[in-house]
Amino acid sequence: MQIIIVGLGKVGRTLVGQLSEENHNIVVVDMDPERIRNVSTRFDVMGVLGNGTSYSVLQDADLEHTDILIAVTESDEVNLLCCVIAKRKGNCHTIARLRNPVYSEERHFLRSELQLSMTINQDLEAAREVARLLRFPSAIEIDSFSRDRIDLLRFKVPDDYKWLGHPLKEITPHVRQNILVCVADRGGEITIPNGDYVIEKGDILTIIAMPLEAERFFYDIGVKTNKVKNVMIIGGGSMAYYLIKILLKSGVDVKLIERDRKRCEELVEAFPDAMITCGDGSDQNLLREERLDSMDALVACTGIDEVNAILSKYAQGKVRKKIITKLNHIEFDEVIESLVLDSVVEPKYLTAQRILQYVRAMANSMDSNVETLYRLMNNRVEALEFLIRPKSRILGIKLADMRIKSNTLIAGIVRDDKLIIPGGQDYFKEDDSVIVVTTNLGFEDISDIIETEF
Amino acid sequence: MNNGMIRFVLSWILRLEGLLMFLPCVIALVFREEEGWVYLILAGIAVAAGVFLSKRPDNMEIYQKEGFVAVGLSWVLLSCYGAIPFVITKEIPNFLNALFEIVSGFTTTGASILSDVEVISHTSLFWRSFSHWIGGMGVLVFILMLLPMGSGGSHMNLMRAESPGPEVTKFVPRVRTTARLLYKIYLGLTIIELCLLLITRMNWFDALCITFGTAGTGGFGVLNSSCGAYTSVQQWIITVFMLAFGVNIGFYYLMLTRKASEAFKMEEVRTYLLIVVAAVALISWNVFRSYDGMGHTVRDAAFQVASIITTTGFSTTDFDLWPSFSRTILLTLMMIGACAGSTGGGIKVSRVLIMVKEIKEEIRSLLHPRSIRKMRMDGHVVQDQTMRSIMAYLVAYFVLFWVSFMIISFDGFSIETNFSAVAATLNNIGPGLDAVGPTQNYLAYGAVSKAVLIFDMLAGRLELLPIFVLLYPGTWKRH
């Protein structure tokens, strides 16, 4: 694919490195000649010097033949403008990094009105990652899916699960949550289970669920989620802002230490339920006073990596369950590994990974009606996202009346940005995104899921 | 330094040269010449040795240093091996002379040590002319299309070292695709010229060799009179194509992909054409009296100007007999050279253009000391780094020029001869003035002088630095 990357900061560079390895044609645009030179000596990419919001610069970068434009400059506005211009003049997908919380609140509007394919907020991304780490133990693997609206969770069925030996359709009425088992892995044999699937010891199941419901589901079935009940956050930056928001929503007690008085006041205004302390988080006395040793978890997310690392080391043995360290520079990953930190979160790296995931999904779905295509379980399962177009022949048919191919599952319908776990009475509407999980590889259109009649 | 990778690149060069040597064998077959056997055996050896030595190194990375060294050594290897057939066939028994001849071929110079080319076998004549075509676009660029390498930076580091001009411009993101495009355009133009010459009834062998000479902006002819014996139509075709090959290949890419108007906006191409027109006009005016008609005057003037500014070096007339003014213009054109990114040599129009602009900026800043200005080329600001590398290039150019001029002056030729000899080799033109004029050759120079001129040709083709890098002791240090 032909890709333009605007902005060669850390995210930009990570993307260039990965994508050029994956055989995409890449043009980089930046205002700094030094950065362009560095990148174009290290990778086989074309550099264009100039402002990415200028049409003529984008033209130099061959916008006409571009499939994706990724705008990851420092400035949100530049990123947005880049994408708008690219969308207007070239027929490409656009991805913008937006950091200002104002924009990320409005991302649905931005996506639909400015026709952005994807917006990404690195602080939000990091906050989500932290929340996920706090919520689930490592025994549960999580794949984020369909532009982050859905999580796919993979876990091993516990040995003492009371429904062992029962088929799924018997269990379903007893499960209070809105979840769906998508893929079952029994000793390497992959199936897409239907109602008759019998759960056995050692099965590894992949379920689709909204994040909060998943948590309750795991609690019900007896998988220890090891959930933390209270968290101390040090440093009140934008990542902390999003994190508090997520944590409060899921009922976790939050204690935050921030040095800047004004910022503290802003946070208090936003979150009356959180406990905000104004003080130096690297002051041992303060930490003792705030009873660090009685906390379940610590999140060190000040702006300085060294402080975060030292705080995390200090907290080891004091905090009961989890320590999360935010780091901005992980170039010296061997050094970081040797520190034996509990969990490390790296916002820019995460952002780059997310964008990569999206680009890969796009590359997979080129030349077909598939919106995005993910390959799971060593490429043996495909999860496809289709957009229901007007006049589709399966519009308005109840799922119960459709003859769907075996080993194919309609895992979710995303309507107005909300996930619906479909039942027999549901049907497709125009502009729905439908997620199909299947082991029949190579679907090209939503109508391919229906059994062809003889 | 990554020696394994350099060896790997060199083994590919050898393999490639071997493959290319099979072509003269075909010519030998057609003309039933015994020399073909020599080429066949040497080709076989080169391919075998190349395959034998091409063990993949563990580290496939080429950094900037390796890039320069690999390019420099590749050209040395290419030349040394390419000279062997001349020695074995006894057509040029002295190895140094043979080396001079083939270096002159690969570097697209066209300076010869042969006083009578018509006695040389067709096979060797073909090899000589074909070397122009190979050297014109560059062997490394060719190899880039084939060779697996570490990360993408490796390609760029090789390309940078071999491409003529102050900066490498890629048309498309990938070096490999760019290289392929370059060769497609190059091959396309070559075929068009060949067809035109054949249509005008040129003998096919001459047409082939002359086309190679034009495409690579080399200048080896197959007749003693160079291009003087061809018809006026053929001479015009050659003139046009010499000029065409002196244009930045990016120009053709723009013509093919985007609007032609954008292509004609390239400042370098405009300046180049302007210089050509001005030079033709001035020379025509200057030599008009010694000719019988306007048509002939302009034809000869245009041919010679095209031949010299693109650093080809063909001739239709003995321009050494022209008045001083015309000869001075030609000498100036030798220095300016063709466009960057073409197959031509010389300082390059873009460098000259940037220097002239720089002088203008300097004068302006004298008048308005506090004004801040940035120089632009094609609407883009010229970076300080580019500026500095142009300065370094020019200084190196003149130092090398002067040193070579000094050394060869021991041989007792006139200053005009020596000056034009260095100018003609360093700028990859071929014929100079006086004793090395279009009807003369370089045989009379001593061994040391020839070695110096060989060095000048290589340095000129590779834009000085890759060859200087080989001589710089720091390059070979382990750390």
Side-chain angles (χ1 to χ4, degrees):
Chain A
M1 275 194 305
Q2 183 102 4
I3 300 171
I4 298 181
I5 296 175
V6 183
L8 289 176
K10 203 159 159 239
V11 176
R13 285 200 305 272
T14 314
L15 288 171
V16 170
Q18 286 285 341
L19 291 173
S20 68
E21 295 268 292
E22 289 168 26
N23 266 324
H24 297 295
N25 292 336
I26 295 165
V27 183
V28 294
V29 179
D30 199 291
M31 307 257 274
D32 182 354
E34 193 61 40
R35 279 173 162 187
I36 293 224
R37 198 168 307 126
N38 279 343
V39 166
S40 52
T41 34
R42 272 182 56 201
F43 306 105
D44 191 1
V45 298
M46 183 159 89
V48 175
L49 182 67
N51 189 337
T53 55
S54 137
Y55 174 52
S56 62
V57 168
L58 287 180
Q59 238 180 349
D60 279 349
D62 200 13
L63 180 63
E64 223 179 306
H65 300 103
T66 298
D67 298 306
I68 308 182
L69 178 133
I70 304 172
V72 284
T73 67
E74 291 294 295
S75 149
D76 288 357
E77 288 75 15
V78 167
N79 293 344
L80 278 175
L81 194 53
C82 266
C83 289
V84 171
I85 292 171
K87 193 75 206 177
R88 274 282 160 88
K89 281 293 164 188
N91 184 24
C92 60
H93 287 255
T94 51
I95 299 175
R97 173 173 68 169
L98 301 173
R99 306 170 90 171
N100 190 332
V102 174
Y103 294 131
S104 55
E105 308 262 305
E106 292 170 359
R107 60 183 181 277
H108 303 310
F109 169 81
L110 292 176
R111 273 184 206 155
S112 61
E113 293 303 309
L114 300 186
Q115 295 180 301
L116 300 181
S117 307
M118 177 188 188
T119 56
I120 188 153
N121 179 326
Q122 64 181 42
D123 299 310
L124 178 61
E125 221 45 64
R128 278 194 185 142
E129 180 69 17
V130 172
R132 226 172 267 156
L133 286 168
L134 291 176
R135 201 180 296 134
F136 298 113
S138 47
I140 301 171
E141 283 179 54
I142 307 162
D143 278 323
S144 249
F145 184 66
S146 181
R147 300 177 201 175
D148 276 349
R149 289 176 289 215
I150 299 166
D151 283 345
L152 283 178
L153 302 105
R154 187 160 52 243
F155 68 101
K156 198 172 169 196
V157 177
D159 291 349
D160 52 352
Y161 185 40
K162 59 179 172 176
W163 293 103
L164 283 182
H166 291 266
L168 283 178
K169 63 182 171 196
E170 273 180 40
I171 311 173
T172 316
H174 301 277
V175 176
R176 288 172 295 158
Q177 294 83 29
N178 201 1
I179 66 131
L180 188 66
V181 180
C182 300
V183 186
D185 176 354
R186 179 175 296 161
E189 192 193 327
I190 307 271
T191 39
I192 307 284
N194 55 19
D196 301 324
Y197 184 84
V198 179
I199 294 183
E200 280 178 21
K201 213 163 94 174
D203 281 2
I204 296 170
L205 301 181
T206 302
I207 62 162
I208 185 168
M210 300 283 264
L212 285 180
E213 306 227 297
E215 204 178 294
R216 250 175 274 145
F217 168 76
F218 285 123
Y219 179 78
D220 281 358
I221 68 168
V223 173
K224 277 216 189 84
T225 54
N226 209 12
K227 193 188 157 184
V228 298
K229 294 196 179 57
N230 51 48
V231 178
M232 181 185 276
I233 302 173
I234 297 175
S238 353
M239 185 195 119
Y241 173 90
Y242 294 115
L243 181 60
I244 298 173
K245 203 166 159 183
I246 299 170
L247 291 179
L248 285 179
K249 212 189 259 175
S250 56
V252 178
D253 279 340
V254 175
K255 190 180 270 187
L256 179 124
I257 300 179
E258 160 63 38
R259 205 157 43 170
D260 183 39
R261 180 145 213 112
K262 229 172 120 198
R263 178 68 183 161
C264 286
E265 278 165 15
E266 279 169 26
L267 289 171
V268 174
E269 274 166 39
F271 308 111
D273 295 337
M275 181 160 132
I276 314 280
T277 309
C278 183
D280 187 352
S282 56
D283 177 2
Q284 273 197 44
N285 281 326
L286 181 69
L287 293 177
R288 245 178 255 137
E289 198 179 311
E290 291 297 327
R291 297 297 310 274
L292 179 67
D293 53 338
S294 70
M295 304 304 287
D296 279 350
L298 171 90
V299 179
C301 56
T302 69
I304 306 160
D305 286 356
E306 295 84 339
V307 171
N308 291 345
I310 290 169
L311 277 174
S312 307
K313 286 307 274 186
Y314 172 73
Q316 270 173 15
K318 298 190 177 60
V319 170
R320 270 177 293 187
K321 284 178 181 158
K322 199 115 200 157
I323 299 167
I324 296 168
T325 320
K326 176 183 126 176
L327 293 179
N328 285 320
H329 308 275
I330 54 161
E331 271 88 5
F332 295 98
D333 40 359
E334 285 121 12
V335 178
I336 292 164
E337 246 164 63
S338 72
L339 286 175
V340 203
L341 298 172
D342 189 5
S343 305
V344 173
V345 167
E346 211 273 334
K348 289 186 173 157
Y349 180 73
L350 263 178
T351 308
Q353 289 309 312
R354 267 306 129 69
I355 296 176
L356 275 176
Q357 204 180 25
Y358 181 82
V359 173
R360 280 181 197 138
M362 263 210 50
N364 290 340
S365 62
M366 287 292 269
D367 307 321
S368 71
N369 278 330
V370 184
E371 286 291 297
T372 45
L373 187 157
Y374 297 85
R375 300 210 163 93
L376 311 171
M377 314 291 220
N378 290 330
N379 296 342
R380 282 188 291 175
V381 177
E382 277 181 1
L384 309 100
E385 186 181 1
F386 294 101
L387 193 69
I388 304 292
R389 299 180 199 285
K391 292 181 193 157
S392 172
R393 66 188 177 98
I394 53 170
L395 215 58
I397 306 175
K398 281 183 187 161
L399 294 190
D401 300 335
M402 267 187 221
R403 290 189 43 206
I404 293 170
K405 283 180 184 160
S406 61
N407 272 330
T408 301
L409 184 80
I410 297 172
I413 300 173
V414 181
R415 188 173 295 162
D416 302 329
D417 244 31
K418 295 233 158 49
L419 172 71
I420 301 166
I421 302 279
Q425 298 306 307
D426 285 308
Y427 52 88
F428 300 144
K429 279 190 191 167
E430 210 178 297
D431 284 340
D432 281 356
S433 271
V434 176
I435 292 144
V436 174
V437 179
T438 178
T439 53
N440 304 322
L441 309 183
F443 282 175
E444 285 186 352
D445 192 89
I446 181 72
S447 55
D448 287 348
I449 63 167
I450 297 170
E451 194 78 65
T452 39
E453 286 169 42
F454 295 101
Chain B
M1 198 154 55
N2 189 349
N3 292 327
M5 193 59 197
I6 290 177
R7 198 205 58 233
F8 184 65
V9 171
L10 290 180
S11 74
W12 268 87
I13 291 281
L14 206 55
R15 211 196 283 196
L16 181 71
E17 185 165 20
L19 288 174
L20 294 171
M21 267 193 190
F22 282 115
L23 279 174
C25 302
V26 177
I27 298 291
L29 207 65
V30 174
F31 288 98
R32 311 214 167 269
E33 287 174 338
E34 289 175 353
E35 283 83 1
W37 291 110
V38 174
Y39 285 90
L40 190 66
I41 291 164
L42 283 172
I45 294 175
V47 172
V51 172
F52 178 71
L53 290 171
S54 65
K55 192 175 114 333
R56 251 168 212 249
D58 300 330
N59 181 359
M60 301 284 281
E61 207 72 36
I62 292 186
Y63 303 99
Q64 191 146 339
K65 179 174 164 186
E66 279 82 357
F68 276 98
V69 172
V71 168
L73 288 178
S74 296
W75 280 76
V76 171
L77 174 71
L78 196 69
S79 307
C80 289
Y81 197 81
I84 297 174
F86 294 147
V87 179
I88 296 183
T89 59
K90 299 231 171 62
E91 282 162 318
I92 310 175
N94 180 330
F95 182 75
L96 191 68
N97 285 345
L99 189 65
F100 187 96
E101 197 73 11
I102 201 70
V103 166
S104 166
F106 280 121
T107 60
T108 73
T109 307
S112 180
I113 46 87
L114 294 168
S115 36
D116 186 4
V117 291
E118 285 164 27
V119 299
I120 303 291
S121 66
H122 288 92
T123 317
S124 291
L125 280 181
F126 177 84
W127 176 237
R128 218 167 64 117
S129 291
F130 189 49
S131 66
H132 281 327
W133 197 81
I134 305 167
M137 193 49 77
V139 259
L140 270 301
V141 176
F142 190 82
I143 282 194
L144 280 179
M145 297 192 284
L146 314 168
L147 210 59
M149 245 173 269
S151 73
S154 303
H155 293 94
M156 203 55 203
N157 286 330
L158 275 184
M159 182 118 165
R160 180 174 301 122
E162 201 184 34
S163 298
E167 262 181 303
V168 195
T169 32
K170 289 201 224 172
F171 316 138
V172 287
R174 299 224 157 239
V175 169
R176 195 169 279 207
T177 334
T178 306
R180 221 171 273 156
L181 269 170
L182 284 175
Y183 261 95
K184 263 186 206 156
I185 295 173
Y186 188 47
L187 195 66
L189 282 172
T190 308
I191 290 172
I192 296 173
E193 188 191 353
L194 185 63
C195 291
L196 285 176
L197 288 179
L198 288 174
I199 289 169
T200 55
R201 300 269 177 89
M202 192 185 273
N203 157 5
W204 69 269
F205 182 76
D206 287 23
L208 207 56
C209 290
I210 293 292
T211 305
F212 287 147
T214 323
T217 68
F220 278 146
V222 287
L223 302 173
N224 284 337
S225 59
S226 188
C227 291
Y230 301 125
T231 65
S232 54
V233 179
Q234 287 163 346
Q235 288 181 3
W236 274 116
I237 293 173
I238 299 172
T239 308
V240 169
F241 275 91
M242 282 194 290
L243 287 173
F245 281 106
V247 172
N248 191 334
I249 295 234
F251 173 83
Y252 300 109
Y253 178 71
L254 278 181
M255 292 271 267
L256 289 174
T257 52
R258 294 185 213 166
K259 285 153 260 156
S261 65
E262 210 172 312
F264 279 102
K265 271 188 199 143
M266 289 172 83
E267 282 182 52
E268 185 181 19
V269 177
R270 286 176 158 205
T271 316
Y272 166 76
L273 294 175
L274 196 75
I275 295 173
V276 171
V277 171
V280 171
L282 286 172
I283 291 179
S284 302
W285 166 74
N286 188 235
V287 300
F288 183 61
R289 237 168 291 160
S290 56
Y291 278 89
D292 42 9
M294 198 61 199
H296 193 196
T297 319
V298 174
R299 190 175 78 227
D300 268 5
F303 190 94
Q304 237 36 256
V305 166
S307 163
I308 297 297
I309 195 172
T310 61
T311 73
T312 310
F314 284 139
S315 56
T316 50
T317 177
D318 187 358
F319 53 78
D320 203 33
L321 300 174
W322 284 357
S324 278
F325 177 66
S326 297
R327 290 195 294 157
T328 313
I329 289 182
L330 290 182
L331 206 55
T332 317
L333 295 183
M334 283 188 187
M335 303 273 199
I336 294 175
C339 296
S342 72
T343 56
I347 294 177
K348 303 280 155 20
V349 176
S350 65
R351 285 206 183 92
V352 174
L353 191 59
I354 288 177
M355 289 319 296
V356 171
K357 285 188 177 188
E358 173 70 10
I359 294 170
K360 202 171 103 193
E361 292 298 321
E362 278 301 314
I363 294 174
R364 271 193 190 165
S365 74
L366 283 179
L367 299 180
H368 305 279
R370 278 163 196 277
S371 73
I372 293 172
R373 283 172 194 278
K374 286 264 178 196
M375 189 206 310
R376 284 168 186 275
M377 239 332 233
D378 290 332
H380 297 290
V381 174
V382 176
Q383 298 300 321
D384 291 347
Q385 169 107 12
T386 314
M387 209 56 231
R388 215 175 55 219
S389 76
I390 291 177
M391 295 291 190
Y393 173 86
L394 282 176
V395 172
Y397 179 89
F398 285 113
V399 167
L400 180 62
F401 199 108
W402 174 76
V403 170
S404 313
F405 186 39
M406 291 295 271
I407 297 175
I408 68 168
S409 62
F410 280 107
D411 285 7
F413 290 99
S414 73
I415 287 188
E416 192 181 330
T417 308
N418 291 337
F419 188 84
S420 66
V422 174
T425 46
L426 186 56
N427 298 315
N428 300 137
I429 292 148
L433 300 171
D434 202 8
V436 289
T439 55
Q440 313 289 322
N441 61 64
Y442 288 77
L443 187 63
Y445 273 111
V448 178
S449 299
K450 274 184 195 143
V452 169
L453 294 177
I454 289 173
F455 182 82
D456 285 353
M457 287 191 271
L458 278 174
R461 169 60 182 86
L462 298 179
E463 306 256 299
L464 310 182
L465 294 176
I467 287 293
F468 283 7
V469 160
L470 292 185
L471 298 181
Y472 181 66
T475 310
W476 305 101
K477 274 193 190 141
R478 283 191 164 272
H479 40 83

